[in-house]
Amino acid sequence: MLTGSIQITGEALSGAEIKDICDSLKESSVRLLSVRGCQLSDRDFGRVCRGVAESHSLAQLNLNLGVVSTIGRTKQLADALKANRSLQTLFLHGSPLLDAGLVTLNGALSTHPSLVSLDLGDCMLGDEAVRLICGLFPPDGAKSGLKELTLSANPAVSTQGWARLAIAVAHSSQLRVLNLDYNPLGDHIAGMLAVSVASSRTLEVLDLEGTGLTNQSAQVFLDMVENYPTSLRVLVLAENDISPELQQQISDLLSEGEEEEDKDGEARGSSVTPREKPAWVPHSSKG
């Protein structure tokens, strides 16, 4: 846990709590602010956003589970991000952003100098949002870009949208973690992603849990890790129609690759592992 953290979950925030949050932000004494699932008025949300804009210390902001509930709040958040320079990680999982919300946020996200991790899981996104997100992957390293992206449970994205993302990932110079779990991808999209993984020099974690894959996809990934050098270290294939034997073969090969790299003294520093799965039901679930 970061020092100087404020973490509140699922509460109706009082005026005193909002004041404490805003004071801490303006004094740049907080690095992690999490108000996931909390209820606050539009006025108080605006006060928090102004505090985010003024903070020089805030590194992680967690607004998961519907805190950003309207386009008006999305606009306030965008304005805050345009002024902020310190934020590295933004969690918006479970926010009803829609494509219009990404259009509103895009200018702030694409120009933020420090943002490297973005969670847009279960945000009701479609192809237009994915097109904008692809712009957050600089292909040549000329500017900072996303290293971790979560797009879990956005079933409105079409095959064309996922294909566009696969191309962007293949050319990304920095992306290390991609979480696409609980999207109806199927074997066709998985094949495209396998090509992206083979092309990428940086991608280390790919989460495809619950994405409608079969042994056909697993065999493609197995052939890739057997025959081609890859940066991939973790491939999550749980909750798919894939045999345990194939999953284990892939896992073993990826582990062998990591061990060989460590022996050669080429480890890339801090290891990357899959994130903790959210404990809530996505908007798209049938219940």
Side-chain angles (χ1 to χ4, degrees), residues 8-13 34-40 64-67:
I8 309 170
T9 300
E11 296 183 13
L13 298 179
S34 176
V35 291
R36 59 193 298 271
C38 289
Q39 298 87 52
L40 63 166
N64 284 351
L65 302 185
V67 177

Side-chain angles (χ1 to χ4, degrees), residues 18 22 25-26 40-54 67 72-77 79-80:
I18 293 294
C22 293
L25 287 168
K26 292 175 182 179
L40 63 166
S41 69
D42 288 343
R43 177 176 176 272
D44 285 343
F45 183 83
R47 291 171 63 192
V48 171
C49 283
R50 288 192 291 275
V52 169
E54 295 180 31
V67 177
R73 291 192 177 192
T74 306
K75 176 65 166 61
Q76 289 177 308
L77 177 60
D79 290 342

Side-chain angles (χ1 to χ4, degrees), residues 31-168:
R31 294 201 59 193
L32 166 60
L33 172 61
S34 176
V35 291
R36 59 193 298 271
C38 289
Q39 298 87 52
L40 63 166
S41 69
D42 288 343
R43 177 176 176 272
D44 285 343
F45 183 83
R47 291 171 63 192
V48 171
C49 283
R50 288 192 291 275
V52 169
E54 295 180 31
S55 176
H56 300 292
S57 63
L58 188 66
Q60 294 188 26
L61 178 61
N62 189 327
L63 301 175
N64 284 351
L65 302 185
V67 177
V68 186
S69 54
T70 65
I71 195 67
R73 291 192 177 192
T74 306
K75 176 65 166 61
Q76 289 177 308
L77 177 60
D79 290 342
L81 294 175
K82 288 176 184 175
N84 177 276
R85 289 291 178 268
S86 62
L87 194 68
Q88 298 173 19
T89 301
L90 176 62
F91 296 98
L92 295 173
H93 205 119
S95 304
L97 296 179
L98 303 170
D99 284 1
L102 251 291
V103 171
T104 301
L105 286 171
N106 183 61
L109 295 176
S110 62
T111 58
H112 198 286
S114 304
L115 189 69
V116 293
S117 180
L118 181 62
D119 187 341
L120 296 172
D122 193 22
C123 285
M124 303 182 181
L125 305 181
D127 287 359
E128 176 63 13
V130 170
R131 184 185 69 81
L132 296 173
I133 290 165
C134 289
L136 303 179
F137 302 152
D140 55 6
K143 64 175 183 177
S144 62
L146 290 182
K147 294 182 179 179
E148 300 187 18
L149 174 65
T150 295
L151 287 175
S152 317
N154 282 294
V157 179
S158 73
T159 298
Q160 182 179 0
W162 292 125
R164 184 190 292 271
L165 181 74
I167 293 169

